[in-house]
Amino acid sequence: SSGKVHFLNNVFSFFDIKGPTFKKEKMIPNGYLIFEDESFLDSTVAKMNALRKSGQFCDVRLQVCGHELMAHRAVLACCSPYLFEIFNSDLEPHGVSHVKFEDLDPEAVEILLNYAYTAQLKADKEMVKEVYSAAKRLKMERVKQICGEFLLSKMDSQNAISYRNFASSMGDTRLLAKIDCYIQEHLLEVSEQENFLKLPRLKLEVMLEDHVSLPGNGKLYSKVISWVQRSLWENGEPLESLMEEVQTLYYSADHKLLDGGLLEGQAEVFGAEDDHIQFVQKKPPRENVHRQLSSSSSGSLSPGSVRQPCKHDWKYIASEKITNSTYLCLAVLNGVLCVIFLHGRSSPQASPSATPCLQKSLSFEASPQEEEPERLLAPMHYARSGLGTAALNGQLIAAGGYNREECLRTVECYDPKTDSWRFIAPMRTPRARFQMAVLMGQLYVMGGSNGHSDELSCGETYNPNMDEWAQVPELRTNRCNAGVCSLNNKLYVVGGSDPCGQKGLKNCDAFDPVTKEWTSCAPLNIRRHQAAVCELDGFMYVIGGAESWNCLNSAERYNPENNTWTLIAPMNVARRGAGVGIYAGKLFVVGGFDGSHALRCVEVYDPARNEWRMLGSMTSARSNAGVAVLDDFVFAVGGFDGNEFLNTMEAYNPGRDEWSTGAEASTLA
């Protein structure tokens, strides 16, 4: 057999003999022998698998839907936590274990057995779902992940719905999130497929008062979903009953979604938990609802008394405008994947709020002559992507970035009380692809690109009292796309691109503003550039990014007390160029780029649970945007949507889980 033997001695020589290759090296005086048999592992693995297939020395019988598969207890226990638990609790550990599976595919289990013995996963594409199901049952998480990634690589508009149904049945939130992102980007193509046309359908007609416009799609459908939730709970009817006929709703001037039955005076009004949603009940409510009615003349339920009606998933996935008066939406209602059609129609002669009669027909998007458009949040003076943002003294600072022409020096300041932008002193150096942090009441920017050289080592700090920028000591290495945050009165610069811009860095450096010195910290576990970086509760978090150009969903946390990095739960969606903000002790990660598309999706991390969950998506896709938190809103500004550089902004209301571009919804006055 071939191999390598090392005799380590005071002699240094090489010689070849027939058979194993011997190598003598000058090492320690007494010497020792190291033999590396390169063929041993492959040979042993092949022999063990052959023994399994012939039934020799096997001590496990897997009975799968009438098929019997033999294996070795020790091998399976190492690969399957599920089987390890069974074998570990076996009362007769020296006998032959019998494990029965009536709901798994025998061929899929055989594929997993081959993987357990050879570390090679080989399955026809038609078998991947079955292999995933078997791996889920056996708790083989790595195999589940590989199968999920394979399905994503094969996903297209024809199979997206079936893949989503499968991921839902498996309870795989990470896979679901990625499929939902795909559906958001390709809803019209997906809607043309046969399996989409067979989904349950909820048909709604919406009437509008004069001078009233519907909100953005995501905001509108969150109202519709809440209306359905309350309708099912108040009436006690199954979801199918709502789909038997067209439901008529009314969108009032005070942004409430009402049941159309109110138009004939047939209903009472009950307030909802959300100030912007009101459900109007056609039928007498349940007895327990009567007990909860307040004594006020409005008959509204007290906000704290309304029970949560949902036991399953309720989720808006994506929507598209089909015609001038028709919208299409894909949503999960009470755990059921459904299609919602919304159609605009003429308002009746009397509205529930006793407003003047309407003399004209309104569609979803009336022309400028027919109604006043919603006033949008004020845009920046410049479109910016790869900008630095931070909240300082109750205002949002947006600095630098690039558009199609150049890297920018200009800095703008947004006042949410007046919904207006103004310029402050420009930076000394044009720069983009950098991050900004607040340290001891001053802004700090480090590194980035000026559009001429790949990376910058210089940094600067802004004094808001003097309205001027000053240089700070340079970084030890030129860096672009690095993360920056303040922690324990120091400025940290993490990761970034190497001088060639081809791969991420593990470097982490800290700057002391008192001594004006840089010191090195423990390196990251994973190379990253374009990662989102922030501080929370005395820890620094580095989220996503890219190792080279492969986007990451992993995240890690730095503890300055012991100078160590620890991996935390991965995000649902791999992304680079995302923004991050802190609100109510949680991390909000916004937008970014997944390797093929700019993203609208948003997710939040709860450090107490070490869990990520998806939130309402933005109205626009944004990669390399700026994110900052002001009071009770998360603001996203600028970025690139895949086609254009943006100067727009939008605000997220955590209480309503919705994004808005409207000034009245997010102005803090």
Side-chain angles (χ1 to χ4, degrees):
S1 63
S2 63
K4 293 180 181 177
V5 178
H6 307 283
F7 292 115
L8 305 181
N9 234 302
N10 289 328
V11 186
F12 182 80
S13 65
F14 293 91
F15 59 92
D16 294 322
I17 63 173
K18 201 169 184 179
T21 300
F22 293 88
K23 178 180 180 183
K24 292 184 178 180
E25 297 179 356
K26 185 175 181 180
M27 293 293 287
I28 58 177
N30 294 330
Y32 55 93
L33 168 68
I34 300 176
F35 173 58
E36 299 176 4
D37 191 339
E38 295 176 341
S39 65
F40 176 81
L41 186 59
D42 291 341
S43 172
T44 303
V45 164
K47 289 176 181 177
M48 289 182 66
N49 203 28
L51 290 174
R52 174 185 73 83
K53 292 183 176 181
S54 64
Q56 291 180 280
F57 310 119
C58 291
D59 53 3
V60 177
R61 295 177 186 271
L62 302 181
Q63 296 178 334
V64 187
C65 293
H67 293 73
E68 187 172 82
L69 305 174
M70 303 293 289
H72 303 93
R73 183 198 309 251
V75 176
L76 299 191
C78 291
C79 297
S80 167
Y82 175 80
L83 293 176
F84 176 87
E85 293 169 6
I86 291 178
F87 301 153
N88 199 41
S89 61
D90 199 330
L91 297 179
E92 298 180 4
H94 300 296
V96 176
S97 296
H98 294 264
V99 185
K100 183 177 292 188
F101 298 101
E102 297 294 346
D103 55 348
L104 299 182
D105 187 294
E107 185 179 348
V109 176
E110 174 65 23
I111 290 171
L112 290 180
L113 292 181
N114 275 319
Y115 169 78
Y117 280 80
T118 67
Q120 294 182 342
L121 191 64
K122 297 180 179 180
D124 291 337
K125 61 181 181 180
E126 291 79 10
M127 284 298 302
V128 172
K129 289 183 181 179
E130 298 296 339
V131 173
Y132 181 108
S133 299
K136 174 181 170 64
R137 180 72 175 275
L138 298 178
K139 298 183 178 179
M140 299 172 71
E141 295 299 323
R142 179 61 175 161
V143 176
K144 274 180 52 183
Q145 180 182 350
I146 294 301
C147 290
E149 294 296 333
F150 177 86
L151 292 175
L152 290 174
S153 71
K154 300 298 180 183
M155 186 167 59
D156 55 32
S157 58
Q158 294 183 352
N159 58 30
I161 293 298
S162 64
Y163 280 14
R164 194 192 190 283
N165 289 335
F166 172 76
S168 179
S169 68
M170 292 293 106
D172 191 331
T173 56
R174 177 178 172 273
L175 188 59
L176 273 174
K178 291 190 174 184
I179 294 173
D180 286 349
C181 282
Y182 178 89
I183 292 174
Q184 285 179 358
E185 302 293 337
H186 303 86
L187 181 59
L188 287 181
E189 298 98 308
V190 172
S191 68
E192 296 173 355
Q193 307 309 314
E194 183 178 358
N195 54 3
F196 185 92
L197 299 176
K198 293 180 179 179
L199 290 174
R201 298 181 174 217
L202 177 63
K203 298 178 181 179
L204 306 172
E205 286 188 327
V206 178
M207 295 173 287
L208 303 175
E209 284 188 40
D210 203 357
H211 304 300
V212 174
S213 61
L214 288 171
N217 291 352
K219 192 171 181 180
L220 172 63
Y221 282 106
S222 68
K223 294 179 185 293
V224 170
I225 290 174
S226 295
W227 178 84
V228 174
Q229 284 181 308
R230 291 190 60 82
S231 181
L232 298 184
W233 178 60
E234 301 280 6
N235 286 348
E237 297 179 1
L239 179 61
E240 293 77 9
S241 65
L242 288 179
M243 300 183 177
E244 292 175 356
E245 57 185 23
V246 176
Q247 305 293 318
T248 302
L249 305 179
Y250 188 93
Y251 191 72
S252 65
D254 54 351
H255 308 291
K256 293 177 181 177
L257 196 62
L258 310 176
D259 193 292
L262 182 64
L263 303 176
E264 290 98 28
Q266 299 174 351
E268 299 178 51
V269 179
F270 296 93
E273 297 167 89
D274 188 335
D275 291 339
H276 287 263
I277 301 169
Q278 193 169 10
F279 173 67
V280 183
Q281 184 63 39
K282 288 182 181 179
K283 300 182 180 180
R286 289 181 179 179
E287 183 180 355
N288 65 339
V289 178
H290 278 297
R291 296 195 197 106
Q292 297 177 30
L293 292 178
S294 68
S295 58
S296 65
S297 59
S298 66
S300 62
L301 293 173
S302 59
S305 65
V306 181
R307 297 184 307 172
Q308 291 295 331
C310 53
K311 295 186 293 184
H312 301 288
D313 289 338
W314 297 82
K315 179 182 178 182
Y316 159 78
I317 297 175
S319 61
E320 289 283 353
K321 180 179 178 182
I322 305 302
T323 69
N324 192 46
S325 60
T326 306
Y327 279 77
L328 167 70
C329 170
L330 186 63
V332 180
L333 304 179
N334 205 23
V336 179
L337 190 64
C338 299
V339 178
I340 302 176
F341 280 105
L342 272 183
H343 180 71
R345 57 167 283 189
S346 301
S347 179
Q349 295 302 305
S351 72
S353 55
T355 54
C357 298
L358 296 177
Q359 303 298 326
K360 57 190 173 186
S361 171
L362 294 180
S363 65
F364 267 34
E365 291 190 1
S367 66
Q369 292 77 23
E370 290 178 319
E371 67 177 38
E372 230 177 89
E374 181 182 30
R375 187 169 69 89
L376 302 180
L377 285 165
M380 293 183 291
H381 295 90
Y382 288 93
R384 303 172 188 267
S385 182
L387 68 160
T389 53
L392 180 65
N393 300 329
Q395 299 186 337
L396 190 156
I397 309 298
Y402 59 89
N403 51 34
R404 293 194 186 275
E405 288 80 29
E406 59 181 347
C407 284
L408 304 171
R409 289 178 56 215
T410 56
V411 183
E412 302 187 45
C413 177
Y414 176 75
D415 186 343
K417 291 182 173 59
T418 60
D419 183 35
S420 62
W421 290 89
R422 63 183 174 87
F423 285 108
I424 60 176
M427 294 184 292
R428 301 165 68 97
T429 302
R431 67 181 76 223
R433 295 191 179 278
F434 69 100
Q435 293 181 19
M436 183 161 60
V438 177
L439 176 61
M440 296 182 177
Q442 298 195 168
L443 296 174
Y444 281 80
V445 299
M446 294 302 307
S449 170
N450 63 9
H452 303 291
S453 58
D454 289 334
E455 287 86 20
L456 299 171
S457 61
C458 62
E460 45 193 302
T461 180
Y462 175 75
N463 185 331
N465 297 322
M466 305 291 292
D467 189 28
E468 63 182 21
W469 293 84
Q471 284 187 322
V472 298
E474 293 192 348
L475 288 162
R476 297 177 175 184
T477 57
N478 294 12
R479 262 195 265 186
C480 182
N481 295 316
V484 176
C485 84
S486 60
L487 174 65
N488 293 347
N489 292 327
K490 290 185 179 180
L491 184 76
Y492 286 81
V493 180
V494 190
S497 304
D498 69 342
C500 298
Q502 296 300 312
K503 63 180 181 180
L505 300 172
K506 289 187 176 183
N507 305 41
C508 178
D509 298 303
F511 175 73
D512 188 328
V514 177
T515 64
K516 309 293 185 184
E517 293 180 347
W518 288 95
T519 56
S520 296
C521 307
L524 292 162
N525 291 297
I526 299 172
R527 297 176 180 274
R528 300 174 190 271
H529 65 94
Q530 293 194 60
V533 179
C534 63
E535 180 273 338
L536 175 61
D537 295 335
F539 296 96
M540 176 166 52
Y541 290 82
V542 178
I543 306 152
E547 196 165 3
S548 55
W549 291 108
N550 297 319
C551 295
L552 302 170
N553 68 342
S554 61
E556 42 192 304
R557 180 176 67 187
Y558 177 72
N559 185 344
E561 296 296 326
N562 54 20
N563 190 32
T564 57
W565 290 93
T566 304
L567 289 168
I568 61 173
M571 290 186 293
N572 295 294
V573 179
R575 58 182 91 207
R576 59 180 169 90
V580 62
I582 306 298
Y583 177 78
K586 296 181 176 63
L587 307 180
F588 289 73
V589 176
V590 177
F593 188 75
D594 66 359
S596 58
H597 298 96
L599 300 174
R600 294 195 302 127
C601 57
V602 180
E603 47 191 306
V604 62
Y605 175 73
D606 185 345
R609 298 173 175 241
N610 190 29
E611 289 180 352
W612 292 89
R613 64 183 178 88
M614 303 303 294
L615 298 176
S617 294
M618 292 185 290
T619 62
S620 298
R622 297 177 189 266
S623 67
N624 293 305
V627 171
V629 177
L630 299 176
D631 290 344
D632 294 328
F633 294 91
V634 181
F635 286 86
V637 57
F640 182 66
D641 67 2
N643 295 306
E644 296 180 351
F645 293 87
L646 305 175
N647 66 345
T648 58
M649 65 186 304
E650 52 189 295
Y652 176 74
N653 185 327
R656 298 174 188 158
D657 187 28
E658 63 186 23
W659 290 84
S660 171
T661 58
E664 71 281 351
S666 50
T667 300
L668 306 182

